[in-house]
Amino acid sequence: MPEEGVNLTHPHNQLSFEEIVIIVMEAVKIGITKIRLTGGEPLIKKDLEILVKKILQIKGIEYLGVKTNGVLLNDKAAVLYKAGLRNLNISLDTTNPDIYHTLTRKGDLSVVLTGVNLAKKLGFNIKINAVILETTTKNEISDLNEYCKNNNFKLQLINHFSLKSTKVDSYHFDRPPKCYNCNKIRLLSEGLLKPCLFSDSEIKIDFKNIRQSFIEVIQLKPEHGEKCNNKSMH
């Protein structure tokens, strides 16, 4: 979390659940079968389980995941599992409580670990996403590996990067993916499609022709990501 905090998007400027479902239905028609709900923090979205259930009811969806910082998992894990969700990516950059508190500005690691334990007991497939900073020590990475090994979680190491710096593919990290191996497009909460995070390109969803919006954004996908100067993401 940046020291100065982040700018919040007003709910009135965000897509409704109904609009998201309509967009996903069109995505499936052109061959997209895997959806992940990210953020921000998706678990702060009221009634997220309703959206999860609606997406899973769409014929052709083979995978639905949610990426979360885990802070609200203790409250939300059971209702999300009941709605049909089975896949969680949990952001956890350290298993050291003091370092966690510093990185998040005020976070309590024990709250997250309690939620993760509950999700594990419920039967979720869990991946741990760890952002590796310049200050991250080998011992911290070793502790993360040990934690994931003991809990049968998959650990994904993420290179700490800035969208305003030219993308560099590093073979020391699992994420961001190598450009030649990336088939992702992103739908932002305000209804914009982005072909690549490391790009200023974006397409506003045309609800009269959503299919064409997808075609246009896929055609804009660069061979290699560069920079993004028109969005602030953390």
Side-chain angles (χ1 to χ4, degrees):
M1 174 64 70
E3 254 183 292
E4 67 277 12
V6 296
N7 295 323
L8 302 180
T9 303
H10 196 282
H12 292 313
N13 298 326
Q14 297 178 357
L15 293 168
S16 67
F17 285 173
E18 290 74 17
E19 288 172 324
I20 293 173
V21 170
I22 291 169
I23 292 168
V24 173
M25 289 172 70
E26 290 300 314
V28 169
K29 290 178 184 177
I30 63 167
I32 294 173
T33 61
K34 181 176 181 178
I35 304 289
R36 181 173 289 119
L37 304 174
T38 65
E41 173 48 49
L43 297 197
I44 66 172
K45 192 76 173 175
K46 185 181 178 183
D47 298 327
L48 180 69
E49 62 274 12
I50 293 176
L51 178 60
V52 164
K53 193 170 184 177
K54 287 179 180 290
I55 291 176
L56 287 171
Q57 288 173 342
I58 298 172
K59 187 176 181 181
I61 291 295
E62 297 176 0
Y63 176 99
L64 176 65
V66 167
K67 185 164 71 175
T68 173
N69 61 22
V71 172
L72 297 176
L73 264 181
N74 210 36
D75 299 325
K76 290 285 191 177
V79 292
L80 288 169
Y81 194 87
K82 186 177 180 181
L85 186 70
R86 293 295 182 268
N87 304 293
L88 289 173
N89 283 52
I90 301 169
S91 298
L92 185 66
D93 300 333
T94 181
T95 55
N96 182 302
D98 295 329
I99 296 174
Y100 180 87
H101 188 273
T102 300
L103 290 175
T104 58
R105 306 298 171 188
K106 60 180 181 178
D108 184 346
L109 178 64
S110 65
V111 171
V112 176
L113 295 183
T114 299
V116 175
N117 287 337
L118 173 59
K120 178 186 174 183
K121 288 178 182 177
L122 287 168
F124 279 99
N125 304 311
I126 295 174
K127 292 181 181 179
I128 299 296
N129 289 355
V131 175
I132 305 304
L133 305 164
E134 290 183 0
T135 55
T136 304
T137 66
K138 290 182 178 179
N139 284 340
E140 285 180 77
I141 298 175
S142 177
D143 289 344
L144 281 164
N145 270 306
E146 190 69 17
Y147 171 71
C148 290
K149 182 180 178 181
N150 290 340
N151 287 281
N152 200 28
F153 301 154
K154 180 178 179 181
L155 177 62
Q156 294 188 135
L157 301 182
I158 300 173
N159 189 15
H160 184 239
F161 60 86
S162 168
L163 294 179
K164 300 187 186 305
S165 301
T166 300
K167 185 179 187 294
V168 176
D169 283 346
S170 172
Y171 292 92
H172 302 295
F173 300 97
D174 303 300
R175 295 286 184 273
K178 314 301 180 287
C179 288
Y180 66 82
N181 202 30
C182 177
N183 62 356
K184 297 180 180 181
I185 55 174
R186 285 172 172 82
L187 172 65
L188 306 187
S189 62
E190 61 266 43
L192 296 171
L193 287 168
K194 282 190 76 71
C196 172
L197 279 184
F198 291 86
S199 166
D200 287 334
S201 297
E202 53 194 32
I203 295 289
K204 180 73 174 176
I205 286 277
D206 179 1
F207 278 93
K208 294 180 180 178
N209 196 342
I210 298 174
R211 179 186 177 88
Q212 185 58 33
S213 299
F214 273 115
I215 291 171
E216 288 179 22
V217 79
I218 290 169
Q219 289 175 336
L220 284 173
K221 192 161 181 67
E223 185 174 348
H224 193 281
E226 293 296 334
K227 299 179 182 180
C228 178
N229 296 301
N230 63 356
K231 288 286 179 292
S232 177
M233 299 186 187
H234 304 280

